């Protein structure tokens, strides 16, 4: 590979690392853009709202199972995908995009996830392999990374705990969505 191509790849990887590290802040910027260019359409609001609600509930369900870096949470949504918190965030992102009445927005969410979250998931999985080694490798072989899929042969080893939902600060996602809805309604009531 020549130096020019290597330089472009280095810049690309550098930008992906920044996006991965600043994904929360980048998400806020994306939501502000969504709100600024939003328009209320009842059908879009209802369909997007279903996605948002599903994402909030999915994230809360996942947060009630995870004790980060202490054990592999083999229960609830972790039987369906290895990164259910991110999947819930994805649903919320798609939902906010649809609610804003512009079908380009959900595609922006997909692009954002590809460049910010998928590299993050790979990094987290490498860390979990370092911590749990073969146990995590077996789990990864049995459960898909992102898109939930049910396999009846998998057996849970943990139970849902509301205390974990609070400990994992899941209320921040609820506050974020509430803030989005307030600004979305304010912006569109002024139009």
């Amino acid at each position: 590979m020549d130096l020019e191509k290597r330089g472009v790849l280095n810049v690309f990887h550098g930008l992906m690392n920044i996006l991965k590290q600043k994904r929360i802040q980048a998400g806020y910027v994306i939501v502000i853009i969504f709100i600024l260019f939003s328009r209320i359409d009842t059908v879009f609001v209802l369909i997007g709202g279903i996605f948002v609600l599903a994402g909030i509930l999915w994230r809360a369900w996942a947060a009630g199972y995870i004790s980060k870096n202490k054990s592999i949470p083999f229960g609830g949504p972790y039987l369906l995908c290895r990164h259910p918190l991110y999947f819930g965030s994805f649903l919320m992102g798609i939902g906010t995009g649809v609610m804003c009445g512009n079908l380009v927005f959900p595609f922006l969410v997909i692009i954002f996830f590809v460049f910010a979250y998928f590299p993050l998931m790979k990094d987290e999985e490498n860390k979990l392999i370092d911590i749990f080694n073969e146990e995590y490798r077996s789990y990864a072989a049995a459960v898909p990374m992102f898109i939930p899929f049910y396999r009846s042969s998998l057996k849970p080893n943990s139970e849902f705990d509301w205390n974990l939902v609070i400990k994992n600060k899941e209320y921040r996602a609820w506050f974020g969505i509430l803030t989005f809805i307030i600004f979305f309604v304010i912006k569109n009531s002024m139009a």
Side-chain angles (χ1 to χ4, degrees):
M1 181 181 313
D2 66 0
L3 291 177
E4 188 175 311
K5 286 181 183 176
R6 193 174 304 166
V8 170
L9 284 176
N10 285 340
V11 168
F12 179 73
H13 286 293
L15 290 173
M16 281 183 57
N17 279 332
I18 291 169
L19 186 58
K20 182 174 60 175
Q21 293 168 359
K22 302 292 184 186
R23 69 191 178 282
I24 304 298
Q25 296 87 339
Y28 290 138
V29 170
I30 290 169
V31 166
I32 290 168
I33 292 168
F34 284 7
I35 290 170
L36 289 174
F37 294 99
S38 67
R39 63 181 175 79
I40 288 196
D41 179 299
T42 306
V43 172
F44 284 124
V45 170
L46 290 174
I47 293 170
I50 290 168
F51 276 88
V52 169
L53 181 61
I56 288 171
L57 294 174
W58 188 274
R59 280 190 57 89
W61 187 33
Y65 279 91
I66 187 169
S67 294
K68 295 178 180 174
N69 299 327
K70 294 181 182 173
S71 64
I72 299 171
F74 208 60
Y78 289 89
L79 291 171
L80 305 174
C81 69
R82 299 192 304 269
H83 298 279
L85 286 167
Y86 296 148
F87 182 73
S89 294
F90 178 74
L91 291 175
M92 290 166 55
I94 294 291
T96 58
V98 171
M99 282 180 72
C100 289
N102 186 330
L103 293 180
V104 170
F105 291 163
F107 290 107
L108 293 176
V109 170
I110 292 168
I111 291 167
F112 178 66
F113 262 79
V114 167
F115 289 106
Y117 280 88
F118 279 95
L120 178 65
M121 287 185 250
K122 292 306 280 179
D123 288 351
E124 287 182 3
E125 292 201 342
N126 289 333
K127 180 180 175 185
L128 291 168
I129 288 169
D130 288 344
I131 295 170
F132 299 108
N133 199 354
E134 203 52 47
E135 183 182 4
Y136 191 81
R137 289 179 196 277
S138 296
Y139 171 66
V143 177
M145 178 191 257
F146 188 68
I147 304 296
F149 182 77
Y150 177 70
R151 295 185 180 153
S152 63
S153 63
L154 301 175
K155 304 292 182 231
N157 70 356
S158 57
E159 294 182 12
F160 181 85
D161 183 352
W162 274 108
N163 293 322
L164 287 174
V165 175
I166 303 305
K167 181 180 177 186
N168 289 317
K169 301 176 183 171
E170 191 54 29
Y171 53 83
R172 293 184 301 188
W174 305 339
F175 178 75
I177 286 298
L178 181 60
T179 303
F180 161 77
I181 291 170
I182 289 169
F183 282 105
F184 174 74
V185 169
I186 290 170
K187 187 268 181 190
N188 285 289
S189 66
M190 298 168 77

